Amino acid sequence: MRVFNEIAVVTTICIKSIPQRFWASFSTVVAVGLVVTVLLAFLAMAAGFQQTLRGTGAKDMAILMRAGSQAELNSGVTRDQARLIEEAPGVMKDADGKPLVSPELYVIVDGVKKTAVPADGNLKKAPRSNLTLRGLGPAGIAVRPDLKIVEGRAFKPGTNELMVGRALQKDFAGLNVGNTVKLGNSNWLVVGAFELGGSVFESELWADTPEVQDLFHRQNVFQSIRARLTGPDALKTLSDYAANDPQLKLDVTTEADYYAQQASRTSDLIQKLGWPLAIAMAFGALAGALNTMYSSVAARAQEIATLRCIGFSGTSSFIGTLLESLVLALMGGIVGTLVTWVLFDGLTGSTLSGASFSQIVFTFHLTPAVALQGIILALVVGLVGGVFPAWRAARIPIVEAYGTP
Amino acid sequence: MTGQTLIHLQDVSKRFVKGKDTITIFDHLGLSIPAGDFVAVMGPSGSGKTTLLNLLGGIDQPTEGSITFDGGRVDTLTEGQLARWRAHNVGFIFQFYNLMPTLSAARNVELPLLLTSFGRAERKRRVEAALSLVGLAERADHYPREMSGGQQQRVAIARALISDPKLLLCDEPTGDLDRTTADEILAMLRLLNQEMGKTIVMVTHDPEAAKYARRTLHLDKGRFTERELVA
Ligand SMILES: Nc1ncnc2c1ncn2[C@@H]1O[C@H](COP(=O)(O)OP(=O)(O)OP(=O)(O)O)[C@@H](O)[C@H]1O
Ligand SMILES: [Mg+2]
């Protein structure tokens, strides 16, 4: 109880003296706030990105790619393999008995972000970003029962018509229904826009597979096969079937698992960029915090010495100074979190996906777990920035009490 | 008025080592202060007056010799023991008052009580009594910057008295005050000595201030050159 009283009053003295060093304390708060903002922006991006990819892909949809290819872009599947899958067990059939299998093509094209459109509106001069053009097989729409066409209509097989993902349409220029877009060497007409549960697919352009094969000279080859499964055990049935046929050297997973794996890879990458940057900046903030706290201890040297004279312990000066530093850092952490929340939370961004090398549109998401990491980083800066000055405070000679104020 | 020996310094030496040099402040100094005494210590700057107060108050330790207080050795205590000993036995009064600028008068006076086991209500009662004693009962909620130098010094006296120590150590308590205010403060110290039996050791440059004491010690070159009994 006595020790608690002692520490409480010393801490009160320390914290109430903060306004006496307003600008130094203020700049420490700002510096820590900046560090936290940078970290949280990256982490919120990773979290948002992960959420978008996690929401992608159905559990009852198998995706088949060449063994070991890891991503659709690296995969290649032949027309013969596609035909074998159409007859495979575990694959669902529609009312007419046609298998729900869609061999798909995956081509990188490019487009212009709305933010990159030059003042004169001339898209030819604008910097271009990679986009995914997906060719869908005849059953491509039927295998995706959650698909919603929100504007216009689906492309007609055998034509240069496109459907555009909703997220992509919002973020990229010239993708409204009725627009003509040049992809590769050919012109395409945008006839519809679709939504698919806020997933990665909403960042894609969709067209008819044979048409894409023709215009991009990819005859007889696909990147992946989508196959709708009959039930929970069907994935095993299908992969056993593929394993037993030497012609089918394919990896079989559910679409949901495939995107979950892509998600953790890319969000790991974002975090691996964000943390070192934030930590490098944290050293700058730490220098500021140390400086502020050393000047705080110097300014209070006589007060601390007087308290020691009265009989207060060095420990209470240590803890009081440390808590002052932690309070400043915590304020910085809270400011940083609020700034990130106001500036970034809910903001839409797009980034290169590590796996596909094309743009994926996602929303920054400042989750409580992410915010907590920012607060922890702030407190670490406060702890390290406070412990050395606090040590000095505890070692102030008592005779300092006599000096002039 | 004065009685048994409260403080006894025997063969006390104090040396400071500064780089290669050793400065000897005291060399086998002896001093006895009876309980209830009021001693003024005078002497040129650098003669060791503050150093003497530090030794008496357990802020600094002698290089050699022994210091006893109320029959018990002080010079052998550890730092933590000394802190507790100071809290119970010594009140300090400084030239520049040394109040905490961010605490009210009452909170300043309360500080030494935070080291005791008194509860909140008892602390409040004692703080009020101490502030009344120095005539500042209505100033309890004022901050140091809202008070004159003399008032601040009275708050400091209340703080020094609050845990009822036997010994008050004052280093130039009126050094920063005008004559009239200084006389008020000195009269208050004399009252504390005469009415409450506090033993007081006061360092001063001011011969007028020294007149309030019962006797004056002149310190020069590490020796008391003269002892005169005033009262
Ligand atoms: N911690 C220390 N380290 C080294 N030398 C010291 C220390 N404290 C005091 N001294 C020296 O001891 C001598 C006496 O100092 P002290 O402060 O006791 O003098 P004083 O009589 O109080 O002087 P003043 O009247 O100016 O206050 C001085 O020469 C001072 O420089
Ligand atoms: Mg002195």
Side-chain angles (χ1 to χ4, degrees):
Chain A
M1 186 61 196
R2 245 176 293 171
V3 177
F4 178 76
N5 279 340
E6 198 181 326
I7 290 170
V9 77
V10 175
T11 306
T12 308
I13 289 170
C14 291
I15 288 170
K16 279 176 114 179
S17 76
I18 288 176
Q20 290 165 11
R21 292 170 305 284
F22 180 80
W23 289 110
S25 305
F26 180 76
S27 60
T28 302
V29 170
V30 169
V32 173
L34 205 64
V35 170
V36 170
T37 303
V38 167
L39 178 70
L40 293 188
F42 272 97
L43 296 185
M45 181 172 165
F49 190 82
Q50 203 155 23
Q51 209 172 42
T52 302
L53 274 126
R54 283 259 160 85
T56 301
K59 284 199 187 63
D60 57 355
M61 174 92 92
I63 172 168
L64 297 96
M65 294 182 292
R66 188 179 61 215
S69 54
Q70 307 233 12
E72 267 188 286
L73 187 65
N74 311 325
S75 168
V77 179
T78 63
R79 190 175 291 279
D80 292 339
Q81 288 175 320
R83 221 170 273 134
L84 284 169
I85 294 303
E86 283 178 0
E87 288 149 19
V91 173
M92 202 187 244
K93 300 207 164 55
D94 70 6
D96 303 333
K98 276 197 243 146
L100 288 173
V101 169
S102 166
E104 303 197 340
L105 214 64
Y106 189 97
V107 181
I108 304 288
V109 294
D110 56 26
V112 179
K113 279 192 195 181
K114 282 186 177 163
T115 50
V117 175
D120 62 7
N122 187 349
L123 295 185
K124 288 203 174 95
K125 285 191 288 177
R128 307 184 78 84
S129 310
N130 285 349
L131 296 177
T132 300
L133 171 62
R134 181 179 294 278
L136 266 58
I141 289 173
V143 293
R144 294 177 170 92
D146 296 334
L147 181 77
K148 271 201 221 84
I149 295 177
V150 291
E151 196 190 345
R153 55 171 175 83
F155 56 81
K156 282 203 194 89
T159 64
N160 290 15
E161 287 180 353
L162 280 179
M163 274 202 300
V164 184
R166 197 48 142 179
L168 192 69
Q169 194 183 35
K170 281 188 193 142
D171 232 39
F172 277 72
L175 295 180
N176 294 323
V177 171
N179 287 157
T180 304
V181 206
K182 186 156 188 199
L183 302 175
N185 293 320
S186 47
N187 285 314
W188 298 76
L189 178 66
V190 179
V191 296
F194 65 88
E195 284 178 4
L196 190 44
S199 66
V200 170
F201 295 120
E202 292 188 19
S203 296
E204 293 182 347
L205 300 162
W206 284 3
D208 184 31
T209 286
E211 210 58 31
V212 180
Q213 281 178 322
D214 269 2
L215 293 167
F216 286 84
H217 311 292
R218 302 273 180 96
Q219 275 81 5
N220 295 322
V221 74
F222 308 98
Q223 261 66 55
S224 66
I225 303 167
R226 295 288 198 289
R228 197 150 187 87
L229 297 166
T230 50
D233 304 326
L235 183 76
K236 173 114 180 46
T237 314
L238 183 59
S239 59
D240 287 349
Y241 170 78
N244 289 328
D245 187 335
Q247 272 190 283
L248 290 176
K249 286 212 168 97
L250 299 175
D251 283 339
V252 186
T253 50
T254 66
E255 207 180 35
D257 284 349
Y258 171 71
Y259 283 103
Q261 209 187 11
Q262 302 293 330
S264 44
R265 277 203 209 127
T266 306
S267 86
D268 275 4
L269 183 75
I270 297 170
Q271 295 196 27
K272 276 178 192 144
L273 290 174
W275 272 107
L277 184 64
I279 285 171
M281 287 179 65
F283 277 99
L286 180 61
L290 278 170
N291 194 33
T292 304
M293 291 314 299
Y294 273 126
S295 66
S296 165
V297 170
R300 287 186 292 102
Q302 193 173 9
E303 292 171 34
I304 293 169
T306 303
L307 290 170
R308 300 293 307 283
C309 227
I310 290 171
F312 280 63
S313 63
T315 312
S316 57
S317 306
F318 182 88
I319 295 176
T321 307
L322 195 59
L323 286 175
E324 177 187 341
S325 176
L326 286 172
V327 163
L328 289 179
L330 184 65
M331 278 160 50
I334 291 170
V335 166
T337 307
L338 289 178
V339 167
T340 312
W341 188 62
V342 168
L343 291 186
F344 292 101
D345 191 48
L347 183 80
T348 304
S350 63
T351 188
L352 274 182
S353 145
S356 66
F357 297 103
S358 60
Q359 295 287 322
I360 286 179
V361 181
F362 63 92
T363 302
F364 283 76
H365 194 45
L366 185 61
T367 62
V370 164
L372 184 68
Q373 294 184 61
I375 297 289
I376 288 172
L377 180 66
L379 289 178
V380 167
V381 170
L383 191 71
V384 179
V387 74
F388 299 103
W391 179 250
R392 180 177 291 180
R395 309 295 309 166
I396 284 174
I398 308 178
V399 290
E400 295 248 335
Y402 291 103
T404 50
Chain B
M1 278 299 287
T2 58
Q4 283 185 310
T5 301
L6 181 69
I7 312 165
H8 186 66
L9 271 64
Q10 186 158 349
D11 282 331
V12 165
S13 299
K14 181 66 189 175
R15 286 186 279 275
F16 290 112
V17 182
K18 246 185 194 167
K20 284 184 176 176
D21 301 330
T22 303
I23 313 165
T24 303
I25 312 293
F26 302 126
D27 191 15
H28 297 284
L29 188 76
L31 175 67
S32 251
I33 298 172
D37 205 354
F38 184 173
V39 186
V41 179
M42 299 189 74
S45 190
S47 57
K49 304 182 296 294
T50 298
T51 306
L52 177 68
L53 283 194
N54 288 342
L55 294 174
L56 296 176
I59 287 175
D60 207 351
Q61 297 282 37
T63 316
E64 278 167 11
S66 68
I67 299 175
T68 46
F69 182 93
D70 231 359
R73 288 283 287 267
V74 177
D75 57 289
T76 52
L77 299 180
T78 64
E79 202 179 314
Q81 289 170 326
L82 269 179
R84 241 163 293 141
W85 174 81
R86 283 197 301 273
H88 287 109
N89 296 294
V90 192
F92 293 88
I93 297 164
F94 304 92
Q95 179 175 359
F96 299 103
Y97 332 123
N98 291 21
L99 301 177
M100 304 296 136
T102 51
L103 300 183
S104 67
R107 293 282 282 153
N108 264 287
V109 173
E110 190 192 19
L111 285 172
L113 290 185
L114 297 175
L115 303 171
T116 67
S117 50
F118 294 127
R120 185 184 293 264
E122 177 65 11
R123 293 203 301 267
K124 191 171 188 304
R125 199 186 63 73
R126 284 176 187 244
V127 167
E128 278 165 8
L131 279 172
S132 312
L133 188 71
V134 297
L136 288 176
E138 321 81 66
R139 296 289 189 142
D141 295 328
H142 286 225
Y143 284 83
R145 64 171 178 280
E146 299 163 348
M147 288 185 274
S148 70
Q151 288 169 332
Q152 289 188 54
Q153 194 62 299
R154 283 193 272 160
V155 174
I157 290 172
R159 179 179 68 186
L161 285 174
I162 192 83
S163 50
D164 198 24
K166 291 198 173 93
L167 178 64
L168 293 184
L169 298 176
C170 322
D171 199 353
E172 303 271 8
T174 57
D176 205 38
L177 300 173
D178 61 54
R179 187 75 260 157
T180 324
T181 316
D183 283 331
E184 281 170 30
I185 295 293
L186 289 160
M188 188 173 284
L189 290 177
R190 186 166 59 191
L191 197 77
L192 295 175
N193 174 248
Q194 289 176 348
E195 303 296 322
M196 295 174 71
K198 299 292 174 200
T199 306
I200 302 178
V201 179
M202 174 178 77
V203 166
T204 183
H205 277 110
D206 176 11
E208 294 296 312
K211 285 181 186 162
Y212 285 83
R214 290 172 192 269
R215 59 176 174 135
T216 301
L217 296 176
H218 285 272
L219 194 58
D220 199 5
K221 300 190 178 70
R223 300 252 152 244
F224 296 117
T225 55
E226 188 185 334
R227 296 170 181 224
E228 68 183 63
L229 282 164
V230 174

